[in-house]
Amino acid sequence: MSRPRVLNDDELLDRARDIFWRQGYAATSLRDLTAATGLSSAALYNRFGDKAGLFREVLRRYADTGLSAERLPRLAALPDPRAAITGFFEDLLALSEAANTPSGCLLINTVLDGGAEAPETRALVRERLGEVEVFLRTQIERSKAKGLLPARIDPPVAAEGLFGTVLALRVIARLDPDPVRLRRLIAAGLSPLGLSVPAATSP
Amino acid sequence: MSRPRVLNDDELLDRARDIFWRQGYAATSLRDLTAATGLSSAALYNRFGDKAGLFREVLRRYADTGLSAERLPRLAALPDPRAAITGFFEDLLALSEAANTPSGCLLINTVLDGGAEAPETRALVRERLGEVEVFLRTQIERSKAKGLLPARIDPPVAAEGLFGTVLALRVIARLDPDPVRLRRLIAAGLSPLGLSVPAATSP
DNA sequence: CTTTTAATATATCGATCGTTCTATTATTTA
DNA sequence: TAAATAATAGAACGATCGATATATTAAAAG
């Protein structure tokens, strides 16, 4: 019925994502985005309204592909909820050590960057990060119900602590991405629960 | 010998700091800065070289007045190292609940913002945040040496965990600055050490 | 074919960006 | 007073910003 798109939304958003991720929202210009996508600014505006609209779609897809749509449900389906928790942190470690991807978490960067100024964007970031916290709290409650955690554990406090470990992990991944530091941080976060993540496999 | 400055460096940097703190480095324009300081851009350039140079001085003063020069030495001088740790988190709570100041920590924001692109700035941020971690590790070691902490505590891991709590606290202060959340996070961070911070004083 | 539709490129908009040139101002020293 | 010095303001620089108006393109539908 009409001229076909030279680049589908998913591929386009992935390319835009890498630029936003590396540079932040404010520091990324429309010209950076046209260079990365190969599309004209007019084409981007026709499809996403404006820069903030494009960024919001980038965030939405980032959250969908990075966490919610795949990773969290898969982990939540594990029979042992403790494995869901440790598996989540193992995944984060693997992400931090992956060479081809920018460091840190785009959602968390956006909290401290000016990128979450717009209320819609702010709400999106809060909601998607909230999903992570809910996941962690749920797994802690499941574990506690099965008697798999020390009795002294208070689920809301422990969940807040684990979520804090996630945030800290993603900040340190940008500040000083030393795998030893990251593993030490995870060890500190998991140890109150009596959990741990396997040591790095020597190459 | 020459025309006097209409605004001393400290006052000037404090005003610039608030703009950078609220908006981030990239989103803050020279016009924002001239409006906040009352000085012309030429005067700012004469004194600080360029925007990045001004920002670096802002960061330096922020770190000096916010942490190092006063707070950390004062706490480190306390006879009970556990009080130094809990006092530090109490101070952070008070900062988060102060109404007149922007939320979060300028140094940590700068890690995730594009503001730490320049190597000099990056080094400054790392160094000043490193001081916090050293402070926490030192107090843990002092506590351990005095037998004031559980024997199972591994100081490097525990220090990383507490530093992570600081990072998380400052992210959440921007994401969802609910005092209950912040206190829950601190409780989670301190509990492995058998420490805690007093509950909020009812008004 | 022709029409319709949407995606795209080109060109450009005024605004604003960081920065700098030039001149003026206020103060100290001689 | 005059000379020297440094801080300042005003004006403007080219570059780039986000955004848009217009025209062209490529497909489907008739």
Side-chain angles (χ1 to χ4, degrees), chain B residues 71-90 132-150 153 155 158-159 162 190 193-197:
Chain B
R71 179 168 288 117
L72 295 187
R74 190 193 75 225
L75 291 167
L78 290 177
D80 185 343
R82 295 173 305 178
I85 295 172
T86 58
F88 181 75
F89 284 99
E90 283 177 46
V132 173
E133 197 185 1
V134 166
F135 163 80
L136 292 170
R137 187 167 58 239
T138 303
Q139 302 314 314
I140 290 173
E141 286 165 351
R142 281 180 64 207
S143 304
K144 192 104 193 279
K146 290 190 174 190
L148 299 173
L149 287 181
I153 296 297
L162 281 193
L190 290 181
L193 304 183
L195 300 178
S196 63
V197 144

Side-chain angles (χ1 to χ4, degrees), chain A residues 17 28 40 55 82 87 115 129 139 171 174 189 202:
Chain A
R17 175 203 59 199
T28 298
S40 68
F55 183 61
R82 295 173 306 179
L129 287 178
Q139 303 313 314
V171 175
R174 282 222 144 189
S202 46

Side-chain angles (χ1 to χ4, degrees), chain A residues 141-160:
Chain A
E141 286 164 350
R142 282 181 64 208
S143 304
K144 192 110 194 273
K146 290 190 174 190
L148 299 172
L149 288 182
R152 81 186 107 86
I153 296 297
D154 179 34
V157 172
E160 193 79 54

Side-chain angles (χ1 to χ4, degrees), chain A residues 86-161:
Chain A
T86 57
F88 182 75
F89 284 100
E90 284 177 45
D91 284 4
L92 283 186
L93 265 178
L95 283 177
S96 294
E97 287 165 7
N100 55 342
T101 206
S103 62
C105 165
L106 180 57
L107 286 166
I108 297 174
N109 294 354
T110 303
V111 175
L112 302 196
D113 183 318
E117 285 270 306
E120 283 178 289
T121 309
R122 201 166 189 73
L124 176 64
V125 170
R126 269 212 266 248
E127 179 201 331
R128 295 316 190 99
L129 287 178
E131 290 174 8
V132 173
E133 197 185 1
V134 167
F135 163 80
L136 292 170
R137 186 166 59 237
T138 303
Q139 303 313 314
I140 290 174
E141 286 164 350
R142 282 181 64 208
S143 304
K144 192 110 194 273
K146 290 190 174 190
L148 299 172
L149 288 182
R152 81 186 107 86
I153 296 297
D154 179 34
V157 172
E160 193 79 54

Side-chain angles (χ1 to χ4, degrees), chain B residues 1-4 28-31 41 45 51:
Chain B
M1 219 228 283
S2 77
R3 181 174 176 172
T28 298
S29 71
L30 257 295
R31 276 156 188 80
S41 61
Y45 273 76
K51 184 185 172 187

Side-chain angles (χ1 to χ4, degrees), chain A:
Chain A
M1 209 207 319
S2 77
R3 181 173 177 173
R5 295 183 164 178
V6 297
L7 195 64
N8 63 25
D9 273 0
D10 288 353
E11 181 67 26
L12 190 162
L13 292 173
D14 285 349
R15 295 187 189 178
R17 175 203 59 199
D18 285 354
I19 310 287
F20 280 126
W21 200 349
R22 254 180 266 272
Q23 306 184 345
Y25 176 77
T28 298
S29 72
L30 257 296
R31 275 154 189 81
D32 293 332
L33 295 167
T34 60
T37 60
L39 286 176
S40 68
S41 62
L44 295 178
Y45 273 76
N46 182 50
R47 284 164 75 165
F48 301 102
D50 59 6
K51 183 186 173 187
L54 168 59
F55 183 61
R56 219 172 300 125
E57 287 307 307
V58 164
L59 280 182
R60 202 181 309 277
R61 175 162 165 80
Y62 173 84
D64 283 346
T65 63
L67 310 161
S68 320
E70 206 273 326
R71 177 168 288 118
L72 295 187
R74 191 193 73 225
L75 290 167
L78 291 177
D80 184 343
R82 295 173 306 179
I85 295 172
T86 57
F88 182 75
F89 284 100
E90 284 177 45
D91 284 4
L92 283 186
L93 265 178
L95 283 177
S96 294
E97 287 165 7
N100 55 342
T101 206
S103 62
C105 165
L106 180 57
L107 286 166
I108 297 174
N109 294 354
T110 303
V111 175
L112 302 196
D113 183 318
E117 285 270 306
E120 283 178 289
T121 309
R122 201 166 189 73
L124 176 64
V125 170
R126 269 212 266 248
E127 179 201 331
R128 295 316 190 99
L129 287 178
E131 290 174 8
V132 173
E133 197 185 1
V134 167
F135 163 80
L136 292 170
R137 186 166 59 237
T138 303
Q139 303 313 314
I140 290 174
E141 286 164 350
R142 282 181 64 208
S143 304
K144 192 110 194 273
K146 290 190 174 190
L148 299 172
L149 288 182
R152 81 186 107 86
I153 296 297
D154 179 34
V157 172
E160 193 79 54
L162 281 193
F163 183 66
T165 300
V166 175
L167 297 180
L169 199 62
R170 303 301 253 162
V171 175
I172 292 184
R174 282 222 144 189
L175 174 68
D176 177 19
D178 170 12
V180 174
R181 274 198 81 165
L182 299 179
R183 288 180 178 276
R184 204 161 50 201
L185 177 62
I186 292 178
L190 291 181
S191 73
L193 304 183
L195 301 179
S196 63
V197 144
T201 56
S202 46

